[in-house]
Short mmCIF file of all heavy atoms in Angstrom, two decimals:
data_model
loop_
_atom_site.label_atom_id
_atom_site.label_comp_id
_atom_site.label_asym_id
_atom_site.label_seq_id
_atom_site.Cartn_x
_atom_site.Cartn_y
_atom_site.Cartn_z
N PRO A 188 -12.17 -11.22 -0.21
CA PRO A 188 -11.23 -10.31 -0.86
C PRO A 188 -10.02 -11.10 -1.37
O PRO A 188 -9.54 -12.02 -0.73
CB PRO A 188 -10.84 -9.35 0.25
CG PRO A 188 -11.08 -10.09 1.52
CD PRO A 188 -12.19 -11.04 1.26
N LEU A 211 -10.96 -1.26 2.62
CA LEU A 211 -9.55 -0.83 2.65
C LEU A 211 -8.65 -2.04 2.52
O LEU A 211 -8.94 -3.11 3.12
CB LEU A 211 -9.23 -0.12 3.98
CG LEU A 211 -10.02 1.17 4.28
CD1 LEU A 211 -9.85 1.56 5.76
CD2 LEU A 211 -9.55 2.29 3.36
N HIS A 212 -7.52 -1.90 1.80
CA HIS A 212 -6.55 -3.01 1.71
C HIS A 212 -5.14 -2.48 1.67
O HIS A 212 -4.90 -1.36 1.19
CB HIS A 212 -6.79 -3.83 0.42
CG HIS A 212 -8.11 -4.52 0.37
ND1 HIS A 212 -8.43 -5.59 1.17
CD2 HIS A 212 -9.18 -4.28 -0.39
CE1 HIS A 212 -9.67 -5.97 0.91
NE2 HIS A 212 -10.17 -5.18 -0.02
N GLU A 213 -4.21 -3.33 2.10
CA GLU A 213 -2.77 -3.05 2.00
C GLU A 213 -2.18 -4.18 1.16
O GLU A 213 -2.84 -5.21 0.90
CB GLU A 213 -2.12 -3.04 3.38
CG GLU A 213 -2.19 -4.40 4.04
CD GLU A 213 -1.52 -4.47 5.41
OE1 GLU A 213 -1.11 -3.45 5.95
OE2 GLU A 213 -1.44 -5.63 5.94
N CYS A 277 -2.75 -9.29 3.12
CA CYS A 277 -3.41 -8.09 3.62
C CYS A 277 -3.85 -8.40 5.04
O CYS A 277 -4.64 -9.32 5.29
CB CYS A 277 -4.59 -7.70 2.75
SG CYS A 277 -5.48 -6.27 3.41
N THR A 278 -3.38 -7.55 5.99
CA THR A 278 -3.73 -7.77 7.39
C THR A 278 -4.80 -6.76 7.89
O THR A 278 -5.06 -6.69 9.07
CB THR A 278 -2.49 -7.66 8.30
OG1 THR A 278 -1.99 -6.33 8.28
CG2 THR A 278 -1.39 -8.62 7.87
N VAL A 279 -5.38 -5.99 6.96
CA VAL A 279 -6.45 -5.06 7.34
C VAL A 279 -7.68 -5.90 7.76
O VAL A 279 -7.99 -6.88 7.10
CB VAL A 279 -6.81 -4.14 6.14
CG1 VAL A 279 -8.06 -3.30 6.45
CG2 VAL A 279 -5.64 -3.27 5.78
N HIS A 288 -7.95 -9.69 6.52
CA HIS A 288 -8.35 -10.22 5.21
C HIS A 288 -7.56 -11.47 4.82
O HIS A 288 -8.09 -12.32 4.09
CB HIS A 288 -8.17 -9.13 4.14
CG HIS A 288 -9.22 -8.05 4.21
ND1 HIS A 288 -8.94 -6.73 3.93
CD2 HIS A 288 -10.52 -8.11 4.53
CE1 HIS A 288 -10.05 -6.03 4.08
NE2 HIS A 288 -11.01 -6.83 4.46
N MET A 293 -7.09 -13.64 1.58
CA MET A 293 -6.37 -12.62 0.82
C MET A 293 -4.87 -12.80 0.96
O MET A 293 -4.19 -12.05 1.68
CB MET A 293 -6.82 -11.20 1.22
CG MET A 293 -6.41 -10.14 0.19
SD MET A 293 -7.26 -8.58 0.54
CE MET A 293 -6.73 -7.64 -0.92
CU1 CU B 401 -7.42 -6.25 2.74
#
Side-chain angles (χ1 to χ4, degrees):
L211 298 166
H212 297 289
E213 66 179 7
C277 177
T278 66
V279 173
H288 287 144
M293 196 167 185

